[in-house]
Amino acid sequence: MITADDIVLLINFIGNCKKVEGRTRIQKDICILKYEDKIPFNFDFASNYYGPYSHSLSETIDVLIAADLLTENITTLKTGFKRYDYKLTKAGQKMYAANKNLIEHDFPVLKSKALKLCTLTIADVTTRAKNCSGIPSLDRKKAK
Amino acid sequence: MPHWLVGIKDEQAIRRMISIRQLGLKAYMDFPGAIHTRYSHALGTMHLAGKMTELLSSKVNSKQGIVKNLKSNKDNIMAAGFFHDIGHAPFSHAADYVMKTITGKSHEDMCGDILKQIIPSEIEKCGINKDTVINMVNPKDDKYQFLSQIINSPLDCDKLDYLLRDAYHVGLKYSFDLDLFLRSYTIIGNETSINECILGLDSTQQAVITTELFVVIWKSMYDLVYLIQDSRIAEKMLEKAFLLYRDYEEIKCLFELQTFIKGNDESMLVTLRGIGTDTQKFLAMDNPKRLYQVALEKELREKDYKMNASFMAKLHNDVDALSDELSIKLAETLEKEKYDFICDIIKSKTPNKINLDSSKKGEEELRMRSDIVRIIKPKIVMKVYANAEVLHSFEKKKIQEAIKHLVEDYT
């Protein structure tokens, strides 16, 4: 079950990053913020071959796109792969601005953590997400 | 019929599926020829679950641990295919929200209750593990993460069966080469641990094109059949009849396990009709002239509705509860009787994540390869239906304004 805070925090994260490059990256970034940095996101993550993934986060992104708060643009990489990049729309930026001060007050580390994540490569964030503790299936694997 | 099913096939909970139409109210409204039942769908899904298990086993013969796991669970996987919808109430999707409201249970939870409490344990002597089956249908433990994807995922055997079966019975000549499609299924992941594997597709041109065809049929079936307007309105009206009388013993009793396993389409309607004349106005299948009319149909987008975070969270968590809440508030705002207006928020279906097996190059999704899949964008539509007499006495603009306030002031 997600809450209004999840929506506001997610918008704040994307707003701080300006652009999030890729569906995989947004998954891994939010996972790191939740499990490593203890930002209280309610998205459930499960571990699979490609690292932690949250279906509820993916669905929330779809809701934000449908509501015109977020845009999804496709970038074709040199490898020929297509990447989905996420940016706030004008309406999304308004929501970001309206809640910015409150979020910075309640979660003073979120902005710096978000900006730091933006500088890492996709391989780095994937490795970090795979090493997070607190995801039930990942913890069991490590225990073995 | 597999040996484990022979001994229990006459159980009432199983026979009941013969008198529940697979398409629910749609078979009474828009598609009277669609007389196929939950039972035929259960058999079809079971068959495909077995076939998929065999094909996957033969495909990954180098991954011994996985093959062993799949082969030893073949009967459990087939049983999960057979039982996956046994917990649906009659008129399934029209009754899902009602069942959740009255019992707090989803149809997957109800399936677990039926398997645990009703299906005889002699099934376990035939090699079926009830807990494994329940976990495949309603995974609470990620130990069953991979096996449950055969039953419930974007590529599951449930979807393969219902799309082809429903299309055939409603008269749409949609089809794709099922065998060719299944041959492109594969297991992606670590061969030492099935729990970390995912069900995916070969990264070939053939697999991508076949899947595009499948996705187009899936999308079309939602637009032309599953969400077809008159049936959808009739389903929402039926839902409201149940909700209005949900405190009546007769209604509550329908969802108690011992009664539930005897209930079918007809018995449910008889109960509703028996409650009194008030329910009649919601039973459009008895008299289509009662069908509510569309008073409003508009996409929920920022340019028309300033949605706040609470509204969007509720939209994500429980769209049926949100629609019901708005229906009640709209009638209050416009000073009409409860459910004279019915709000219906419809989130369009977009294909969930389908992975292609290109592990050497990193994670690859079908969306990254397919222009057709890429253009299917999420969309949320707000619809309001109203009793014809009520609608006659209202300006549609007034309804639009009231809805706008309810959405924008949502807390």
Side-chain angles (χ1 to χ4, degrees):
Chain A
M1 197 82 116
I2 69 154
T3 65
D5 288 349
D6 291 304
I7 303 279
V8 173
L9 284 167
L10 183 60
I11 292 279
N12 184 275
F13 167 73
I14 300 168
N16 284 331
C17 294
K18 311 283 187 220
K19 179 167 90 171
V20 182
E21 296 180 340
R23 284 159 65 82
T24 305
R25 176 177 276 277
I26 199 165
Q27 287 279 339
K28 307 311 177 211
D29 285 353
I30 299 298
C31 176
I32 292 167
L33 289 171
K34 175 175 175 168
Y35 293 102
E36 206 177 277
D37 301 322
K38 309 295 177 206
I39 304 294
F41 282 112
N42 290 298
F43 305 112
D44 293 323
F45 282 82
S47 163
N48 73 32
Y49 182 61
Y50 295 109
Y53 175 79
S54 166
H55 184 58
S56 63
L57 172 59
S58 173
E59 282 189 334
T60 303
I61 291 169
D62 273 357
V63 168
L64 297 180
I65 293 169
D68 274 346
L69 292 169
L70 202 60
T71 57
E72 189 179 55
N73 293 311
I74 295 157
T75 305
T76 305
L77 306 175
K78 284 178 189 167
T79 55
F81 271 40
K82 302 276 193 297
R83 189 185 68 202
Y84 286 76
D85 295 339
Y86 298 96
K87 267 179 160 176
L88 296 181
T89 59
K90 274 189 185 166
Q93 281 166 6
K94 266 189 199 168
M95 188 185 263
Y96 167 75
N99 295 291
K100 191 171 171 278
N101 290 341
L102 188 67
I103 297 281
E104 282 176 5
H105 177 266
D106 289 351
F107 305 99
V109 295
L110 181 57
K111 188 172 182 178
S112 60
K113 296 279 183 192
L115 292 174
K116 199 167 180 188
L117 281 173
C118 294
T119 64
L120 301 178
T121 64
I122 183 68
D124 288 340
V125 287
T126 303
T127 309
R128 264 175 75 176
K130 282 184 175 176
N131 288 326
C132 284
S133 59
I135 305 169
S137 45
L138 257 181
D139 286 351
R140 254 198 305 279
K141 188 188 154 200
K142 284 175 200 157
K144 282 180 194 171
Chain B
M1 196 173 269
H3 65 291
W4 54 263
L5 186 51
V6 174
I8 56 160
K9 67 178 172 47
D10 295 331
E11 286 295 315
Q12 200 160 21
I14 291 173
R15 298 278 308 165
R16 158 187 175 271
M17 291 197 287
I18 295 175
S19 37
I20 297 180
R21 291 190 188 180
Q22 167 72 4
L23 285 182
L25 263 186
K26 287 176 268 297
Y28 292 77
M29 298 293 296
D30 291 287
F31 304 107
I35 54 169
H36 59 305
T37 65
R38 285 264 167 227
Y39 193 87
S40 56
H41 170 58
L43 288 174
T45 309
M46 175 185 75
H47 168 72
L48 287 178
K51 193 167 176 165
M52 207 186 277
T53 309
E54 288 288 336
L55 277 165
L56 288 171
S57 304
S58 64
K59 200 147 185 180
V60 292
N61 51 14
S62 60
K63 300 177 181 179
Q64 283 307 317
I66 293 176
V67 173
K68 204 174 155 196
N69 196 323
L70 275 173
K71 284 190 172 166
S72 65
N73 271 305
K74 187 182 169 192
D75 279 341
N76 285 325
I77 297 168
M78 288 179 73
F82 184 79
F83 288 115
H84 78 284
D85 271 351
I86 202 169
H88 265 302
F91 304 111
S92 37
H93 297 293
D96 277 351
Y97 176 62
V98 179
M99 188 160 84
K100 189 94 187 166
T101 310
I102 294 176
T103 65
K105 289 177 181 169
S106 65
H107 76 88
E108 290 94 348
D109 297 329
M110 205 58 134
C111 167
D113 288 355
I114 292 173
L115 270 163
K116 269 188 222 155
Q117 298 173 42
I118 307 289
I119 300 300
S121 31
E122 67 181 74
I123 195 176
E124 303 207 283
K125 289 179 194 152
C126 301
I128 300 294
N129 183 317
K130 286 187 183 182
D131 285 337
T132 304
V133 173
I134 292 168
N135 264 297
M136 282 185 212
V137 174
N138 193 11
K140 300 256 156 95
D141 181 343
D142 46 34
K143 188 175 145 196
Y144 299 95
Q145 191 173 283
F146 177 77
L147 296 179
S148 71
Q149 289 177 53
I150 295 176
I151 308 301
N152 185 7
S153 74
L155 296 169
D156 62 34
C157 51
D158 176 26
K159 221 170 268 99
L160 294 180
D161 183 82
Y162 76 65
L163 285 180
L164 294 176
R165 189 176 300 280
D166 294 344
Y168 175 80
H169 284 279
V170 300
L172 288 169
K173 292 178 179 63
Y174 289 166
S175 196
F176 54 88
D177 190 328
L178 185 60
D179 289 330
L180 182 70
F181 190 36
L182 281 175
R183 281 204 294 274
S184 63
Y185 277 46
T186 194
I187 299 173
I188 302 173
N190 183 347
E191 56 191 82
T192 57
S193 165
I194 197 166
N195 302 336
E196 281 181 54
C197 291
I198 45 179
L199 184 63
L201 297 167
D202 291 333
S203 180
T204 60
Q205 177 93 341
Q206 180 183 293
V208 171
I209 293 170
T210 318
T211 316
E212 284 176 335
L213 193 56
F214 161 75
V215 168
V216 168
I217 292 174
W218 170 78
K219 172 94 177 96
S220 309
M221 286 296 285
Y222 270 92
D223 294 341
L224 296 177
V225 179
Y226 303 133
L227 295 172
I228 192 167
Q229 186 157 288
D230 284 3
S231 295
R232 176 75 183 188
I233 297 174
E235 283 172 352
K236 294 312 269 185
M237 289 170 69
L238 182 69
E239 177 191 288
K240 300 314 176 199
F242 280 118
L243 290 173
L244 266 180
Y245 298 98
R246 67 183 183 198
D247 294 330
Y248 278 46
E249 280 309 313
E250 300 95 304
I251 299 294
K252 282 198 275 189
C253 184
L254 289 173
F255 299 96
E256 285 167 11
L257 196 56
Q258 291 300 334
T259 324
F260 185 85
I261 55 158
K262 296 175 195 155
N264 56 34
D265 290 355
E266 195 50 40
S267 67
M268 197 167 230
L269 285 177
V270 167
T271 305
L272 262 186
R273 288 183 192 120
I275 282 179
T277 48
D278 269 11
T279 56
Q280 294 290 323
K281 69 174 184 179
F282 292 103
L283 301 180
M285 78 293 278
D286 285 351
N287 180 1
K289 286 182 186 160
R290 294 185 190 122
L291 196 69
Y292 277 27
Q293 294 176 2
V294 179
L296 170 73
E297 179 171 351
K298 203 164 189 155
E299 254 188 83
L300 274 178
R301 299 183 68 171
E302 187 62 27
K303 69 180 170 71
D304 298 309
Y305 300 95
K306 307 280 171 249
M307 289 169 277
N308 59 39
S310 301
F311 184 84
M312 275 182 289
K314 188 77 180 179
L315 195 58
H316 168 277
N317 292 333
D318 195 340
V319 73
D320 290 327
L322 177 61
S323 298
D324 192 53
E325 196 181 332
L326 293 178
S327 302
I328 295 166
K329 285 182 180 168
L330 183 61
E332 285 169 2
T333 308
L334 298 175
E335 296 178 335
K336 299 303 294 181
E337 284 185 30
K338 193 174 182 182
Y339 298 136
D340 272 347
F341 296 99
I342 297 175
C343 294
D344 185 15
I345 302 173
I346 300 174
K347 287 200 271 187
S348 72
K349 292 273 183 181
T350 49
N352 287 332
K353 190 179 178 194
I354 296 176
N355 277 101
L356 302 175
D357 188 10
S358 54
S359 40
K360 284 175 194 157
K361 292 186 276 180
E363 184 171 14
E364 188 182 17
E365 278 187 62
L366 179 66
R367 262 205 212 203
M368 296 171 177
R369 284 274 292 275
S370 165
D371 291 335
I372 290 173
V373 173
R374 203 174 297 134
I375 57 169
I376 303 176
K377 298 282 182 201
K379 199 166 84 170
I380 304 169
V381 178
M382 162 73 82
K383 292 189 180 189
V384 177
Y385 315 128
N387 177 318
E389 281 174 32
V390 172
L391 191 57
H392 191 66
S393 61
F394 266 95
E395 279 182 51
K396 286 191 178 175
K397 202 177 163 192
K398 205 172 168 187
I399 298 168
Q400 280 179 23
E401 281 168 7
I403 279 289
K404 189 170 162 64
H405 283 300
L406 289 174
V407 169
E408 295 186 354
D409 300 340
Y410 187 84
T411 48

